Amino acid sequence: MTRTVIVTLTLTLTVLAAVGLAATPVAPIPPGSFVSYDDDGTAITITLTRPYLLQTYPVTAGDFRRYLDATAAELDTAAHHWWDFVNDVGGEAWPVVNVTFLDALGYANWLSEDDGFAPAYDLSGPEPVWRSGADGWRLPTEAEWQFAALCRDGCLALEEPAGAGPVSAAPRNDLGLAGMVDDVLEWCWDGFEPMRRDSLVDPVGDDPAGRRVIRGLGPDAREWAAPGFRSEAVGFRLARTPAASAALDSLLRRQDRAVRRRREILNVEAVADSLYWYDRDRRDRVRRVGGGIGAAGGLAVFIGWSLFKEEDSSQRTQDLGLDLMAVGAGTLVVGALVYLAAGRDLPRDEALRRARELVAVPREVQGTALGVRVGF
């Protein structure tokens, strides 16, 4: 289907608060409910009661390298060389990979402190502890990740896998999030456990075996790995739960308007595409009819000329040939007129104009979901 390129509208909001200023591109996600499925295929309604912010892109190799340089943190000896090799292949703008669950938590705490937020994790003990009341960066829960991948209530236009490349080049979904369906999977905070209940509210999975959820490749793919697992197919992105404020409410309203506007545009484009192909099919049918009539006329002219030019033809045969040529010529003209009556291809602007009239979307509506920078 032919689709016009939708220009991505990125609004940069500078929101000052007592906790300081952050400069990480995020998508604001409101509370809501969605339907997931347990391991047996049974539908489960999951409800999230608090808004949160989710990074627009996965953490990049450059981001993570700055963390290593700033903190003098080192990966385990066996992994360090391999980490450098894998992440140097793509470059600093590609999603970071070959990081463990604990690597991601360490980066989250460092970024929180760097941005002036309270670190979300206590990493001093044998097992990491999530300080759920902290406003710092953290891994999203599995439910938060899936809710965002579903664009809250179902994406009109799921982003298509972009393959390997810089995070900024990846297409976005309705919420302005990129990379939710790409080949790089992402760590979630939850322990891996089957989802068995009919409904869940702010769920956080627990697994006595220590396995952690990995999400990616779209809203439904679900994997697990041990916290020390490394793979060139596993990275992460971070979330935050900001304190309730008028600034957050305003941001969520702006995001909701942006999402609705983008979906209106996608609806217009879908209708325009349908109009274009319907009109093209109609034209093709008319042209085929005109071509068939013209071909019949051409055949009649050819046969008539053959009869007329025969050396030993009688006068009657020559007259028949002349009649066939006359009829054929007339048929050729009719065929040409029918072919021309099909008209030219429907211009894209005209298709969009008709589509706007059909779905009653104002012409001035434009833009996409937010990818914003916030600091509250």
Side-chain angles (χ1 to χ4, degrees):
M1 177 180 292
T2 301
R3 186 182 297 278
T4 59
V5 177
I6 303 177
V7 178
T8 301
L9 177 63
T10 303
L11 301 179
T12 302
L13 304 180
T14 305
V15 184
L16 297 175
V19 293
L21 177 67
T24 301
V26 296
I29 316 294
S33 299
F34 66 101
V35 175
S36 187
Y37 297 89
D38 67 15
D39 296 337
D40 297 328
T42 302
I44 302 173
T45 300
I46 298 177
T47 300
L48 299 176
T49 61
R50 297 187 300 174
Y52 60 100
L53 309 176
L54 187 64
Q55 288 182 338
T56 303
Y57 307 113
V59 173
T60 67
D63 294 332
F64 198 84
R65 196 182 299 278
R66 283 187 287 276
Y67 153 67
L68 295 178
D69 293 342
T71 62
E74 290 192 6
L75 307 176
D76 51 280
T77 304
H80 197 282
H81 174 72
W82 181 240
W83 188 92
D84 279 331
F85 172 76
V86 170
N87 287 284
D88 284 344
V89 168
E92 293 198 346
W94 288 36
V96 68
V97 293
N98 209 34
V99 288
T100 68
F101 176 77
L102 294 176
D103 291 337
L105 302 190
Y107 175 86
N109 275 1
W110 168 77
L111 185 62
S112 295
E113 293 176 347
D114 194 56
D115 285 343
F117 302 130
Y121 299 114
D122 180 355
L123 303 179
S124 61
E127 296 293 333
V129 177
W130 175 17
R131 303 185 183 106
S132 59
D135 64 350
W137 295 105
R138 58 179 176 79
L139 290 177
T141 66
E142 180 180 12
E144 288 173 338
W145 196 99
Q146 189 179 15
F147 189 48
L150 287 167
C151 306
R152 305 185 320 208
D153 52 0
C155 297
L156 262 190
L158 278 172
E159 54 168 320
E160 297 179 358
V167 295
S168 59
R172 300 186 183 195
N173 67 13
D174 290 353
L175 297 183
L177 298 167
M180 305 296 280
V181 299
D182 280 345
D183 294 338
V184 175
L185 307 177
E186 300 177 10
W187 288 106
C188 296
W189 167 254
D190 299 54
F192 185 86
E193 67 176 359
M195 296 183 291
R196 296 294 186 188
R197 286 171 283 178
D198 293 335
S199 63
L200 298 168
V201 177
D202 296 324
V204 179
D206 183 37
D207 179 19
R211 300 173 299 178
R212 295 289 175 169
V213 171
I214 297 175
R215 280 282 188 169
L217 302 177
D220 299 319
R222 187 175 190 245
E223 303 290 342
W224 64 267
F229 175 73
R230 294 184 189 278
S231 167
E232 58 189 276
V234 178
F236 67 102
R237 79 177 70 210
L238 298 179
R240 280 189 59 230
T241 306
S245 66
L248 177 60
D249 291 341
S250 175
L251 182 63
L252 289 168
R253 287 194 297 271
R254 294 183 69 177
Q255 169 74 330
D256 185 65
R257 287 196 299 269
V259 170
R260 285 188 285 108
R261 286 173 180 174
R262 184 182 183 200
R263 291 179 175 179
E264 286 171 348
I265 286 177
L266 292 173
N267 275 328
V268 169
E269 290 199 333
V271 172
D273 287 338
S274 297
L275 290 173
Y276 173 82
W277 288 108
Y278 174 82
D279 190 68
R280 185 167 185 173
D281 286 344
R282 178 194 62 79
R283 289 194 311 276
D284 288 344
R285 289 195 299 270
V286 173
R287 287 171 179 171
R288 285 194 294 271
V289 170
I293 294 172
L299 180 61
V301 169
F302 174 77
I303 295 174
W305 177 254
S306 299
L307 293 175
F308 181 77
K309 292 295 291 182
E310 285 183 3
E311 295 181 357
D312 56 349
S313 61
S314 64
Q315 184 63 43
R316 184 175 181 180
T317 301
Q318 290 180 341
D319 291 344
L320 178 59
L322 288 172
D323 292 340
L324 281 175
M325 284 191 288
V327 171
T331 304
L332 269 172
V333 172
V334 171
L337 292 175
V338 171
Y339 187 91
L340 293 174
R344 58 189 179 89
D345 289 350
L346 181 67
R348 182 67 180 176
D349 289 347
E350 176 63 16
L352 288 170
R353 185 191 66 78
R354 295 183 188 178
R356 290 189 190 98
E357 292 176 352
L358 288 172
V359 298
V361 176
R363 178 183 293 272
E364 63 271 13
V365 168
Q366 55 185 328
T368 68
L370 296 173
V372 300
R373 297 178 183 270
V374 297
F376 51 87

